[in-house]
Amino acid sequence: MQKRVTDEEIKERLGKIKSRIAVMSGKGGVGKSTVTALLAVHYARQGKKVGILDADFLGPSIPILFGLRNARIAVSAEGLEPVLTQKYGIKVMSMQFLLPKENTPVIWRGPLIAGMIREFLGRVAWGELDHLLIDLPPGTGDAPLTVMQDAKPTGVVVVSTPQELTAVIVEKAINMAEETNTSVLGLVENMSYFVCPNCGHKSYIFGEGKGESLAKKYNIGFFTSIPIEEELIKLADSGRIEEYEKDWFESAPF
Ligand code: ADP
Ligand code: MG
């Protein structure tokens, strides 16, 4: 059996990656994976070299968003080869690519998941990258902790939605970042509002300004509000997120 990955191996791989951005929320279903994918597309359109590490082993979504459900990884002399997305050639690594079947569940306890994240950090052949985006699972458990400690992110982008239930959990994620000495790059409020397709009126179904006040409370930047959009759901579900034309991160300072 291969030896466990060492801190030196991880350091060497990560040394070739200029920025590492973890996308976190604490809460599930708020749009972490969607935001990760849209951020990756944003950077790729700027001509940057981009990778995505899907660290949500129990609910991997990145392969679905990019139409890579059935892709499998290859091993080369350089290590584990990431799978390239169809339009922009974003380098993706996901646990999904190692499973025998698309619907095989990963039934693992925390330490195994943490070990596998280290394997990915130490063995994936990203090469030189400008940005590595890390899509975290919900919660503040083993996977996020391993990413914070071992991938040493440049910072985290926190994803929230305007519901009170989300805010309470997002606050835990912000506090976790603080406790692990990881800087918070800023907050993205997803599913903020809905634009009426007929009259163009913006409906703030869950209330307006929630994300901004949360960001203010923790003295972190507020980057952008993303509306609930049918177009986004359609492209996400059909694996064509790269064809989504809008860019919600134009003014993001990271
Ligand atoms: P998470 O990674 O936080 O669990 P996802 O990114 O998987 O969340 O999003 C959950 C679901 O909501 C997905 O079906 C996704 O397509 C949908 N979704 C996310 N953001 C939006 C949005 N702004 N508009 C419409 N649907 C969205
Ligand atoms: Mg997700």
Side-chain angles (χ1 to χ4, degrees), residues 28-34 61 190-191 226-229 232-233 236:
V30 294
K32 293 179 295 300
S33 302
T34 307
S61 308
N190 190 28
M191 309 189 194
I226 305 177
I228 295 181
E229 262 192 8
L232 188 49
I233 303 175

Side-chain angles (χ1 to χ4, degrees), residues 29 31-34 54 56 59-62 135-138:
K32 293 179 295 300
S33 302
T34 307
D54 177 5
D56 189 352
S61 308
I62 295 295
D135 184 22
L136 291 177

Side-chain angles (χ1 to χ4, degrees), residues 54 59-73 83-86 92-104 233-242:
D54 177 5
S61 308
I62 295 295
I64 298 172
L65 293 170
F66 287 95
L68 303 172
R69 287 165 184 239
N70 297 311
R72 290 292 170 267
I73 48 166
V83 174
L84 302 185
T85 65
Q86 297 161 45
V92 177
M93 181 51 67
S94 173
M95 184 70 191
Q96 184 68 30
F97 301 150
L98 279 81
L99 302 177
K101 279 197 294 186
E102 194 194 328
N103 58 0
T104 307
I233 303 175
K234 268 194 213 146
L235 292 174
D237 281 352
S238 60
R240 294 179 295 138
I241 195 103
E242 288 174 295

